[in-house]
Structures are given as structure tokens and as C-alpha cells.
């Protein structure tokens, strides 16, 4: 048989036999055990021989990046860790204001928060999460822009989310940014939304309307749909201010006049301080219309009262020129932002507190530049302004109490408060000055301690009034601290610096800063005492904030 015949296949059956034609065919004469051919599993990730792979607890598709972790299987979940002391039960009083209930929950760890009880009727398919978050952010924006504290803004946002059944929400508030995150469950992706607060305005009427909306949303007997909530929120935004521009200008003048009477001024000083403050207010409005930043608005608004006081000194008119300048400063000192900044710091919102206090510092520097410029030129041209006049304030209890009440009333108008709250805050301001005068002038107690006690009573009464009305405490406290603002200490510190007595001026400015801190801390402490000790509208025993012990 030739070589060609040997290469030719012997039959058609042999032509298609893979054992013969394949180059991987087993050579003849080698015995291969049964089943030991080419393995079916060729992956390098195959389980080695002899190793038993654990079987999955449930029929889940393997290899998917989106498959649920087996640890969260309801049937085969690992045992939960329970502390030796147990998980404390939290009892929230349902009759308490929503501010206290939500603040209590925000101050406790997420794992210890009680199960939610949705107030609003669940819509078909559940609440629309993006729309609820958007409504929450819009409500928080109005509250933060109106001067509300960061903790109260977070409590309001948390209340809105829980009222629509979104319990796993975490609101975050900073000075200009609001954000909120909702995670439906431990294994689902969170939904996060944010909103920037670019403009701030003082309108406590709008603030009270927003609080009423949140109160209705959290009321178990009231059902407010998303559409209804959006409609009411749009109406709140469209509402005009309760007082016209000319009323605000008149209120600023009366505020400055009342403040000048508090520091020893008479009728002529009252009129002069009022005219200077109104002129400064109009100039500030003109600058605002031209888009000038608030720093320069404060600088320009502080110049007319100081110029009128210097003019009296140059004309040798027998009036207390220092009282004119002091009255003008009372109308400009940013007491509202100061109280809000210190409150944020005391409640643990340090970033927002630092931003608010920095804003207060810029406003204060603007006032200092405006007054110091006028005083400097007044001293250069021969004006005789005596810093020691601060020790010669006459004591006129009835007149000063009336002036303090007028100051609080006009301050409430400048804050655009509701007319129904003006009388209460006016009386609160009169009580604050009465306590301060009794402790400082009669009892001989230091002005810082007297101011702190008076501000504490303002915070206590303001919190009681807000609980009675189920509203924000700001309209009842901010205007009432007006008579306690350190206007005279600020003026005499600037005057000493203008006369090259820098050390004396710094001491007076440090006193003004101490008085301002005493006001803010006193107001916050009074509010906290009312929440902790009073059973009316309280949330029971509230868990204290976690102590860090410095680390």
C-alpha cells in the first residue's frame, strides 16, 4: 500500500470521527479513565477539587452588581446587636408643639428614633418623593432667609418630610445651603436635593405664615395635600409686607429717638436723633436701589446721626450730642443676626454660627467706619465730644420704661411683624428694661449680668408666647431685646478711638461685645429653660446633646 493510499480515509465513518481527526485526540495505547476527558469547567475561578462551596441561602442571581446583599435577607439576616442596657424607649408627647417633637428626634441617633406615624393620608403609590423634598426645601428656604435658627429650620424640614411618610430623612442646614437626603430603605439608593439661599429679608409676618403651614402639615386632624401646600406656599411668597416704606422710615426715626431718651436725651435730642436716623434710612434705601452691598449701606446710614451730633457739638448747643449719635446706632446694630448666630453656636451648628457672626462683624465694621469717619473730622475741626459723658446718664424710670416700650414697638414694625404680636413684644421690651434698670441702677449689679438676666426673661416670655400661639419665638424676642443693645458702649468706644485714646476705646468696645454676647446667651438660655422645666407644651424629658469632652 502506497503512502498516498495510507493517508486516504478508509471509510466515510472515519472521515467524521473527531477522535481521529482532532489534533487533541488521545494517542492510541494510552488508557484514559472514564470521565477524565477535557473538563467542562475551564474558568480559573472554578472551585478546587475537594472544596465544598457554600450554597446561597436564597435563589438570587449570581454575578449581578445590583443583586441585594445576602446580609439583608429577611430570613437569614444576622442577629442584631442589642446593648447590655437595652435600647431606650422614647416617649414623645403628642400634644407638644411640633418644634419640640422634631427637635427631640433630631438630637437623638438615627437608630433610636421611634417608628414614624404618618400624619398625611398616603396617596396611591406612596408620596412623590422628589416633590416632597422640593416642598421641604422651599419651606426651609423661607425660614432660613427670615432669620430662623438652623436647628429650628432643620426641625421644620424634618416635620414636613415625616408628615408625608418620609421618615428616613436627614436635613442639613448651613448659612447659604439647604440639603435633604431621603433613603427609602437600607438597600435602596438615597434621593438627595439641595437649594441655595441667595437673598435674605426681614419679614416676620411671612415667617409666621410658614410656621402656620408647617403646623397644619403636622396636625393629625388636618390633611393638606401636596398641591394645597404648594398653593399656600405660593400665596405666602406673593403676600406684600404689612407696612409700607414710609412707615418703616418713620419707625426707624422713632426707634432712634426712643434710644436717645434711654441714654439721657431730652425732646430736642429725640427729634434730632429721629431726623438723623430717617435721613440715614433713606440714603441706605437709595444705595440698595443702586445695588450697593449691605456693608456700604450700613456705612452710609451711620453717617447722618453722627453728623448731627457733631454739628450740635460744633454749635455749642446745650444738648447731649452723644445721645444723638447713640440713638442713631441703636437703629443700625444687627441684634437679630447676633442672636441667631450665637443660638446656632450654642446648639452645635458651628459653621452656620461662624458665618452669621462674620456677617455681624462686617455690618459692625461698616457702622464703625461710618461713625468714625464723621467723628474724626468733627474732632479735627474743633468739636468737643466728651467720652466721660457716659457716666452721667440720668435715671428717669417712668420715662425710660416708656421709651423702651416705644423702641420695642418700632423695632417690631421694622421687622415686619404681624399686628397681633406688636402689643405682646412691646410689653416684653418694657419688662426687659425694667429688670435691667432695677438690677443695674438700683441694685448696683454689673451691666453685663443685668443684661443677661433681662435677656433671659425675654427669651423665657417669648418662648411662652410662641407656645401659646404655636408659632416662632423670634417675633416675641428679637424686638424686645432692642432696649438692651449696647449702643452707648459702642459709641463711646468709637469716640475714644477718634480722639487717639485707643486703649480706652478698645475697652469700651470689648464691653459692647460682652453685652451683645450676654443678650444672645440670655435669650437662648431662657428659651431652653422653658423647654426643659415647663410641662405646658413640652416634649417630656428630652435627651441631652451628646458630650464630646473636648475631643
Amino acid at each position: 500500500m502506497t503512502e498516498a493510499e495510507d493517508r486516504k480515509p478508509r471509510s466515510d465513518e472515519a472521515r467524521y470521527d473527531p477522535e481521529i481527526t482532532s489534533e487533541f485526540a488521545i494517542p492510541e495505547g494510552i488508557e484514559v479513565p472514564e470521565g477524565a476527558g477535557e473538563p467542562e469547567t475551564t474558568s480559573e475561578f472554578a472551585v478546587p477539587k475537594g472544596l465544598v462551596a457554600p450554597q446561597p441561602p436564597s435563589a438570587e442571581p449570581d454575578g449581578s452588581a445590583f443583586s441585594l446583599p445576602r446580609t439583608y435577607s429577611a430570613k437569614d439576616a444576622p442577629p442584631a446587636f442589642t446593648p447590655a442596657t437595652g435600647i431606650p424607649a422614647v416617649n414623645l408627647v403628642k400634644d407638644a408643639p411640633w418644634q419640640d417633637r422634631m427637635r427631640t428626634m433630631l438630637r437623638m441617633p438615627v437608630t433610636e428614633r421611634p417608628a414614624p406615624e404618618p400624619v398625611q393620608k398616603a396617596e396611591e403609590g406612596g408620596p412623590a418623593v422628589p416633590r416632597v423634598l422640593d416642598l421641604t426645601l422651599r419651606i426651609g428656604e423661607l425660614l432660613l432667609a427670615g432669620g430662623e435658627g438652623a436647628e429650628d429650620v432643620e426641625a421644620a424640614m424634618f416635620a414636613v418630610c415625616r408628615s408625608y411618610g418620609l421618615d428616613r430623612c436627614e436635613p442639613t442646614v448651613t448659612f447659604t445651603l439647604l440639603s435633604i437626603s431621603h433613603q427609602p430603605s437600607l438597600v435602596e439608593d438615597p434621593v438627595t436635593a439641595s437649594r441655595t439661599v441667595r437673598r435674605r429679608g426681614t419679614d416676620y409676618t411671612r415667617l409666621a405664615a410658614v410656621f402656620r403651614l408647617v403646623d397644619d402639615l403636622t396636625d393629625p386632624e388636618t390633611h393638606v395635600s401636596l398641591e394645597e401646600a404648594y398653593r399656600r406656599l405660593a400665596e405666602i411668597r406673593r403676600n406684600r409686607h404689612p407696612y409700607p416704606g414710609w412707615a418703616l422710615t418713620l419707625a426707624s426715626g422713632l426707634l432712634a429717638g426712643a434710644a436717645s431718651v434711654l441714654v439721657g436725651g431730652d425732646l430736642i435730642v429725640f427729634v434730632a436723633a429721629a431726623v438723623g436716623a430717617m435721613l440715614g434710612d433713606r440714603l441706605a434705601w437709595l444705595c440698595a436701589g443702586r445695588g450697593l452691598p449691605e456693608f456700604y449701606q450700613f456705612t452710609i446710614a451711620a453717617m447722618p446721626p453722627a453728623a448731627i451730633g457733631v454739628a450740635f457739638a460744633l454749635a455749642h448747643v446745650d444738648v447731649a450730642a452723644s445721645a444723638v449719635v447713640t440713638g442713631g446706632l441703636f437703629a443700625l446694630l444687627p441684634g437679630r443676626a447676633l442672636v441667631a448666630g450665637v443660638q446656632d453656636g450654642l446648639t452645635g451648628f458651628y459653621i452656620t454660627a461662624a458665618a452669621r457672626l462674620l456677617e455681624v462683624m462686617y455690618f459692625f465694621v461698616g457702622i464703625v467706619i461710618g461713625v468714625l469717619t464723621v467723628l474724626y473730622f468733627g474732632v479735627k475741626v474743633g468739636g468737643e465730644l466728651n467720652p466721660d459723658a457716659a457716666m452721667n446718664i440720668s435715671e428717669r424710670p417712668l420715662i425710660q420704661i416708656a421709651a423702651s416700650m416705644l423702641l420695642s414697638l418700632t423695632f417690631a414694625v421694622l421687622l415686619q411683624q404681624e399686628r397681633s404680636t406688636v402689643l405682646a413684644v412691646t410689653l416684653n421690651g418694657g419688662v426687659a428694661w425694667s429688670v435691667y434698670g432695677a438690677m443695674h441702677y438700683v441694685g448696683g449689679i454689673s451691666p453685663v449680668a443685668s443684661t443677661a438676666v433681662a435677656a433671659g426673661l425675654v427669651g423665657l416670655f417669648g418662648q411662652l408666647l410662641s407656645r401659646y400661639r404655636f408659632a416662632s419665638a423670634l417675633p416675641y424676642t428679637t424686638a424686645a431685646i432692642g432696649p438692651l443693645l449696647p449702643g452707648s458702649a459702642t459709641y463711646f468706644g468709637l469716640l475714644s478711638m477718634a480722639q487717639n485714646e485707643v486703649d480706652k476705646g478698645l475697652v469700651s468696645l470689648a464691653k459692647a461685645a460682652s453685652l451683645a454676647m450676654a443678650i444672645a446667651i440670655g435669650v437662648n438660655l431662657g428659651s431652653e429653660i422653658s423647654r426643659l422645666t415647663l410641662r405646658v407644651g413640652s416634649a417630656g424629658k428630652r435627651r441631652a446633646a451628646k458630650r464630646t469632652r473636648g475631643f
Side-chain angles (χ1 to χ4, degrees):
M1 183 181 295
T2 62
E3 183 178 357
E5 293 175 347
D6 186 57
R7 292 178 181 175
K8 182 178 179 181
R10 294 189 177 96
S11 63
D12 294 338
E13 181 178 334
R15 181 182 306 171
Y16 299 103
D17 188 357
E19 296 292 338
I20 298 176
T21 59
S22 173
E23 60 180 350
F24 297 102
I26 301 174
E28 186 177 358
I30 299 179
E31 297 182 359
V32 180
E34 186 178 357
E38 185 177 355
E40 296 180 1
T41 304
T42 59
S43 172
E44 61 181 348
F45 298 102
V47 180
K49 184 178 180 181
L51 181 63
V52 179
Q55 298 297 325
S58 59
E60 298 178 359
D62 292 331
S64 174
F66 301 97
S67 60
L68 298 180
R70 299 190 183 99
T71 16
Y72 296 108
S73 175
K75 297 181 180 180
D76 301 284
F81 172 75
T82 302
T85 57
I87 298 177
V90 181
N91 183 20
L92 298 178
V93 181
K94 294 184 179 180
D95 295 334
W98 61 264
Q99 299 98 313
D100 283 356
R101 290 187 281 112
M102 296 302 107
R103 188 182 292 108
T104 302
M105 298 191 65
L106 285 173
R107 290 185 178 183
M108 69 175 63
V110 179
T111 56
E112 298 182 9
R113 291 176 184 172
E117 297 179 3
V119 175
Q120 304 298 330
K121 297 179 181 178
E123 301 175 1
E124 295 183 1
V129 174
R131 297 199 66 198
V132 172
L133 297 184
D134 179 70
L135 175 67
T136 303
L137 289 174
R138 291 178 183 273
I139 290 177
E141 178 190 11
L142 288 180
L143 293 177
L144 187 62
E148 193 65 64
E151 187 179 34
D152 293 327
V153 175
E154 282 197 0
M157 295 172 64
F158 194 66
V160 174
C161 286
R162 285 181 66 88
S163 65
Y164 287 103
L166 307 184
D167 59 308
R168 294 179 178 271
C169 287
E170 285 299 330
T172 303
V173 176
T174 58
F175 185 60
T176 58
L177 181 65
L178 297 168
S179 64
I180 188 167
S181 178
H182 168 65
Q183 189 171 14
S185 65
L186 293 175
V187 296
E188 295 184 61
D189 296 333
V191 180
T192 304
S194 62
R195 195 172 183 88
T196 303
V197 180
R198 302 189 182 278
R199 295 187 60 185
R200 299 179 182 272
T202 304
D203 189 345
Y204 281 2
T205 300
R206 178 179 296 175
L207 189 69
V210 176
F211 262 76
R212 283 193 293 269
L213 173 60
V214 178
D215 186 57
D216 290 341
L217 289 174
T218 57
D219 188 0
E221 299 180 358
T222 306
H223 171 62
V224 181
S225 63
L226 279 174
E227 298 300 331
E228 177 66 15
Y230 269 107
R231 186 191 64 79
R232 290 180 57 178
L233 195 62
E235 289 182 356
I236 293 173
R237 286 180 174 274
R238 285 195 301 265
N239 284 345
R240 303 184 63 181
H241 299 305
Y243 307 103
W246 64 267
L248 299 180
T249 301
L250 180 62
S252 64
L254 293 176
L255 189 153
S260 66
V261 173
L262 283 179
V263 294
D266 53 10
L267 182 60
I268 299 178
V269 172
F270 180 92
V271 175
V275 171
M278 288 189 290
L279 182 59
D281 181 77
R282 285 292 92 190
L283 290 176
W285 274 98
L286 182 62
C287 295
R290 297 295 185 271
L292 206 63
E294 285 186 296
F295 176 85
Y296 302 105
Q297 297 177 28
F298 274 81
T299 301
I300 295 174
M303 288 183 175
I308 293 178
V310 171
F312 278 155
L314 292 175
H316 301 285
V317 180
D318 189 17
V319 296
S322 59
V324 178
V325 185
T326 301
L329 289 177
F330 266 87
L332 296 175
L333 292 177
R336 173 183 60 86
L338 174 67
V339 172
V342 175
Q343 179 182 356
D344 288 342
L346 295 176
T347 52
F349 294 83
Y350 300 113
I351 297 178
T352 308
R356 288 186 189 270
L357 293 178
L358 185 62
E359 180 188 40
V360 171
M361 187 193 72
Y362 270 102
F363 291 161
F364 188 77
V365 170
I367 297 172
V368 167
I369 292 176
V371 176
L372 203 57
T373 302
V374 176
L375 293 180
Y376 178 79
F377 284 105
V379 171
K380 286 298 182 181
V381 297
E384 297 181 0
L385 298 171
N386 184 15
D388 296 331
M391 306 301 297
N392 299 326
I393 298 177
S394 60
E395 299 178 13
R396 301 169 294 177
L398 296 180
I399 296 178
Q400 289 179 331
I401 291 175
S404 65
M405 295 177 67
L406 177 61
L407 192 153
S408 299
L409 187 148
T410 52
F411 202 174
V413 173
L414 288 175
L415 294 174
Q416 300 281 3
Q417 292 189 196
E418 292 180 306
R419 292 179 175 88
S420 59
T421 64
V422 171
L423 178 59
V425 75
T426 300
L427 296 176
N428 202 7
V431 170
W433 180 260
S434 300
V435 173
Y436 171 80
M439 294 183 63
H440 178 55
Y441 295 118
V442 180
I445 303 176
S446 67
V448 176
S450 303
T451 301
V453 174
L457 289 177
V458 168
L460 178 62
F461 293 152
Q463 193 65 228
L464 290 177
L465 291 171
S466 67
R467 286 167 179 267
Y468 177 74
R469 299 286 298 271
F470 285 89
S472 172
L474 286 182
Y476 300 99
T477 57
T478 305
I481 65 172
L484 304 175
L485 293 176
S488 58
T490 303
Y491 163 69
F492 288 109
L494 298 179
L495 180 58
S496 298
M497 295 182 68
Q499 295 178 344
N500 292 326
E501 298 179 1
V502 180
D503 295 338
K504 190 174 181 180
L506 291 178
V507 170
S508 185
L509 290 179
K511 178 183 176 181
S514 301
L515 291 173
M517 292 295 293
I519 293 172
I521 294 175
V523 170
N524 181 264
L525 183 60
S527 301
E528 290 294 327
I529 289 175
S530 67
R531 296 194 191 106
L532 290 173
T533 60
L534 299 181
R535 301 296 301 176
V536 179
S538 64
K541 294 183 179 180
R542 186 181 55 176
R543 295 174 59 87
K546 183 180 179 181
R547 294 184 60 188
T548 60
R549 300 185 184 275
F551 54 83

